[in-house]
Amino acid sequence: PAALNYPTIDVTEMFESTENWSTNSGNMYEGVNKISFEQVDLAIFNGNTYGDGLFDFKMSLDQQAMWPGFCFRNTYNEGITENNSFYLICFANSGIELQRYNGEVRTSLYCNLLPNERIGPTHPMILEAGRTYHVQAGAFTEEDGVRIILNIDGVNIMNYLDEAENRIEDEGYFGL
């Protein structure tokens, strides 16, 4: 499928050291070619901003947390604030969600919350604790909007074109 053939972003250096990461809580630990995060609400990689491409990485959960996930195209290297806009893919206990934040305004694109405002329901896939997944996810600016792609273990999970006026077309920071 076409969603599996988009260019990827090499994240090897990003996960080799905690040097360019900042968190608002919790702990980070360096391992061999990996970083582990413990009780972190948000961690942002400050070493670079990224535009079009799929972040390509291995991900595992030590335990089934409430809403682990990652965000991309962060306008600023901070969390949910009135100034920051970003896309968020999270792995809820009920499945995979896609949300867009424009400042403190959340738009539930694929989510079980706010059924009258969403584009579609949560994707039913649930990530199991203790298992490692190959994740490819990111955004591409196209003529008619921003395409959001999520592939897990070689299977396309999401392929969504955000055509909204407040879509996020500029490059930005990556976060967990």
Side-chain angles (χ1 to χ4, degrees), residues 5-165:
N5 296 320
Y6 279 90
T8 58
I9 296 170
D10 184 6
V11 298
T12 305
E13 288 183 25
M14 185 187 302
F15 289 105
E16 287 180 344
S17 167
T18 59
E19 180 180 338
N20 288 312
W21 288 87
S22 61
T23 65
N24 59 355
S25 65
N27 300 301
M28 295 182 289
Y29 304 100
E30 291 182 19
V32 178
N33 295 323
K34 72 175 186 175
I35 298 176
S36 298
F37 298 90
E38 180 181 80
Q39 297 179 343
V40 171
D41 289 333
L42 178 66
I44 296 286
F45 181 73
N46 299 301
N48 200 0
T49 56
Y50 301 91
D52 292 349
L54 294 177
F55 295 95
D56 189 343
F57 57 95
K58 303 281 186 195
M59 183 178 96
S60 63
L61 306 172
D62 288 338
Q63 59 185 352
Q64 184 63 39
M66 192 61 172
W67 274 290
F70 51 89
C71 51
F72 46 94
R73 293 209 173 178
N74 285 270
T75 309
Y76 297 99
N77 57 349
E78 52 193 46
I80 301 170
T81 68
E82 62 186 40
N83 299 320
N84 199 13
S85 295
F86 56 92
Y87 289 102
L88 172 67
I89 293 177
C90 55
F91 304 96
N93 293 331
S94 59
I96 301 172
E97 300 180 357
L98 171 62
Q99 301 174 19
R100 181 185 61 240
Y101 282 82
N102 299 97
E104 296 174 329
V105 177
R106 175 178 64 182
T107 302
S108 297
L109 302 169
Y110 286 91
C111 186
N112 288 339
L113 301 171
L114 309 170
N116 295 330
E117 299 175 22
R118 70 180 186 213
I119 304 299
T122 299
H123 187 282
M125 182 178 188
I126 298 173
L127 299 188
E128 300 171 27
R131 182 174 165 203
T132 299
Y133 295 88
H134 178 202
V135 176
Q136 294 180 311
F140 297 86
T141 301
E142 299 180 355
E143 184 177 328
D144 296 328
V146 175
R147 175 131 349 247
I148 308 296
I149 303 288
L150 172 64
N151 302 321
I152 298 178
D153 291 339
V155 176
N156 179 245
I157 303 299
M158 276 182 201
N159 185 343
Y160 170 70
L161 183 63
D162 185 359
E163 299 175 280
E165 186 176 306

